[in-house]
Amino acid sequence: MNTGNSSTVSVVGQYCRSRIRKAGGSGFCVHIIRADETQDLPAAVKARCRKGRGYEFPAAGCGLPAASALKIRYFGTWENSGYGIQLKVSAYEILKPETVKGMTAYLSGRHFRGIGPALAKAITDRFGDDTWMILKNHPDKLLSVRGISVAKLEALKRGFRETESINELSVFLASYGFSTDRISAISRHLGPDAVEIIRANPFAVMDVPGCGFSIADSIARGLDVMLASPQRIKAALVSALRNDSAFTGSMCTHSADAERLAMQLLNTGFAEPPVSQSAYRQVFQACLDEKQISVSDGDLVFLKENEQAETRTALALARLMKHEIPVPLKQKYLQELERCCRQEKGRKLSEGQKEACRTSLCSRVSIITGGPGTGKTTILKTVIETYRRVHPGGNVTLMAPTGKAARRMSESAGLPASTIHMKIRYYDREMKYSECAEIPGGLIVVDEMSMVDQYLMDRMVSCIRDDSSHLLMVGDSSQLPSVGPGDVLHELTSSGVIPVSVLTEVFRQADGAGMIVSNAQAINAGSHALACNPHFQLVGAADERQALEEILHIYREETKIFGIENVALLTPLRHKRIVSVDHMNRLLQDIVNPEADGKPSVQIGGTVFREGDRVIQMKNTIFASNGDIGALRQIEADEGSGDDASFEIAFENGNTVHYEREDMQNVDLAYALTVHKSQGSEYESVIIPMLSSQKCSLFKRNLLYTACTRGRQRVIIVGDPEAVNWCIDHAEAGMRLTRLGERIRKLCNL
């Protein structure tokens, strides 16, 4: 095997004891390993020889197995540390157990979920030295062991395939310095044939989250892939387009920018650039010919998947709009709407709100947009009530991008609501795209549309197959655009094809919301004239240190008044600043949930989780939705490396989930949030740092507007007026490159 690092060594040893282990179990650990005397080890290690007992040395790494009965092949590099020479482990391979005790330990490992030590012992008691052969060649015989159900058998088969695949992959990738977590991710994504797939095309790993061009390129060089090969150039082009989309939120890239970004990936770090402009352009043309990319307006380059996502969305919406509602049915809607407005006491609609109801009921596809307090919820209730009067027993489907937004929608409408992802089974790996779950025909309402990215929109409208459906989309077009690529709500409202009801009159002026709403409107209008009272405050801070002191003091006081779950620190930045999300989460955690004797805690990556923490789901999964917030109720960790730590989280959507260690990679602390992550949520009190020293491309009017509209009773901005005014002066509507609106217009012949 060609290696990316000639200093990488492999040593076979057995775990003796832990030297360093974070409280409650940590990803990083230092184990004392014993190796036999036949191996080639550094002299400093051999000097520790105890006659007849082999050599002992420290091994440092993440998630190292702590089972003394197993033999492990460790891959890594020797380095000097405060404890002398130690092996810095980049990967490891669990060797075939040679003893029954070793086999029992192997089956008790984290890859065999739900088995546990007792059931593992029952298996080895039954099959003894033949257990490995049975598991590999005749796994169905395990059903003869009491306690092994069909489900447990599948877990055993899956665990065996996974460990075999990871072992093979670990050996193959040992010299590249990949972490065990990354190797596991590659194995899960590429499957049991991962090694063969990578040998054939090392750039296949770019489809694995967290593995970009540089990682794939390091493997490719180890496999002697030519630097100017079409395979490498194509991978750089794809990576450049994906990176630009992820960074800017655009669905396409100007051709000159795509070329510049790709050539940087291909030639940076070489004295003589290995790839010429002509070689790049030949591959670019080949990708065009093969329809792996497309060009729009002569200059905009789309990846195939991005172009298809926009095209499918436009086709689905155009199809719905072409099936006009019959005139008699429209008349019936309007008659029932008038009756509904007369009969519902306490629900008096303005003429603008009534017109929004009429438009929504009489259109297959429509949009309602407006800021806080403009009556979107009132209109939604009225539309649903009118629709159900005309169609008794008809389907009404309510959806939102996040769990919290769905719950708020359900509470206000009085009907069940779910996340879009759950409704369409977005993360069901067993379901092919063409088989996505169908949304029942009827009235389909989607709230918080500003948060819906192009990929989610594509999947959602593909699930609407009944042409008699009404699709009503509700959102605030002044808020931040989606985290994912696309500018869906802006493109739909500006298409000139879809009926849009724009609400501007503010009705909600009671209590503290009045000042918050009026200031939000001023921000949205580009005005610096913000009024202050106890409900909307500007607290001066000259720099980050002063801001930090003010924030900690304010946070303590606000949580005393409103409770921890009703107060949020919303900051523009996630990393690298004193008042960023990552740093503030640690400080606020120590205020409200400090470390204590007997309180379980586990460190995963750079985050320490403690029982009682407030946490947020960072990615959509089949267990929880992106943005769901909950309480970490229970942590159970082993006494070894923490590999088998388990967690119980009670989410505010009413679900309680049980996570393993690897599931917690998608969970973070939730005392401080980015403004993006706060969308779809409201809090009694929000604290917003705004400092000139932190000004960056994120400081835009829609960011400040979105942050302020998260507060119900109190908004406290900590910082300086210059930073606030900077945000207000810099608008960003429609800045993302996308052609969704244009595609809809063309399909509707406009």
Side-chain angles (χ1 to χ4, degrees), residues 126-297:
R126 171 72 175 79
F127 295 106
D129 293 336
D130 295 329
T131 302
W132 181 276
M133 182 272 295
I134 294 293
L135 187 57
K136 184 175 183 178
N137 299 320
H138 308 287
D140 290 349
K141 290 186 177 181
L142 295 171
L143 288 170
S144 64
V145 177
R146 185 173 181 177
I148 299 293
S149 62
V150 173
K152 297 278 187 184
L153 177 62
E154 289 305 311
L156 283 162
K157 290 179 180 179
R158 188 166 54 249
F160 186 76
R161 288 194 301 268
E162 185 177 340
T163 53
E164 289 286 274
S165 175
I166 290 175
N167 281 347
E168 183 183 12
L169 198 59
S170 295
V171 175
F172 179 66
L173 298 176
S175 59
Y176 298 98
F178 288 179
S179 68
T180 54
D181 286 343
R182 177 159 287 164
I183 290 173
S184 294
I186 294 172
S187 176
R188 285 195 302 272
H189 192 87
L190 298 182
D193 298 324
V195 172
E196 288 73 19
I197 292 171
I198 295 171
R199 283 190 186 279
N201 178 18
F203 297 101
V205 302
M206 285 170 46
D207 291 331
V208 180
C211 294
F213 177 81
S214 60
I215 290 173
D217 200 31
S218 68
I219 301 173
R221 293 191 207 181
L223 295 173
D224 295 329
V225 173
M226 299 295 291
L227 294 175
S229 69
Q231 186 184 57
R232 182 171 182 263
I233 297 172
K234 175 187 170 185
L237 172 59
V238 170
S239 180
L241 293 173
R242 285 179 179 172
N243 292 345
D244 185 66
S245 184
F247 181 73
T248 66
S250 294
M251 293 297 290
C252 52
T253 306
H254 288 293
S255 58
D257 291 333
E259 181 172 312
R260 174 179 54 82
L261 294 169
M263 293 295 277
Q264 285 176 354
L265 290 173
L266 291 164
N267 291 333
T268 298
F270 296 95
E272 290 292 328
V275 179
S276 66
Q277 186 182 65
S278 62
Y280 166 82
R281 291 183 176 178
Q282 285 179 6
V283 173
F284 184 91
Q285 185 60 48
C287 289
L288 270 176
D289 295 340
E290 295 166 7
K291 301 190 183 306
Q292 294 170 326
I293 60 173
S294 62
V295 174
S296 176
D297 299 339

Side-chain angles (χ1 to χ4, degrees), residues 448-453 475-484 486-490 524 570-572 674-680 690 697-710 727 730 732-734 736:
E448 297 290 352
M449 273 296 300
S450 63
M451 301 174 67
V452 176
D453 64 42
D476 186 347
S477 57
S478 298
Q479 286 191 26
L480 287 167
S482 57
V483 175
D487 200 358
V488 174
L489 183 58
H490 178 264
N524 200 29
L570 307 182
T571 174
T674 62
V675 180
H676 261 115
K677 283 296 182 186
S678 73
Q679 284 184 267
M690 277 282 147
S697 60
L698 293 173
F699 271 48
K700 294 291 191 295
R701 183 184 301 170
N702 53 7
L703 179 133
L704 181 58
Y705 172 85
T706 302
C708 289
T709 54
R710 300 308 92 202
C727 280
H730 289 76
E732 195 190 38
R736 295 182 171 189

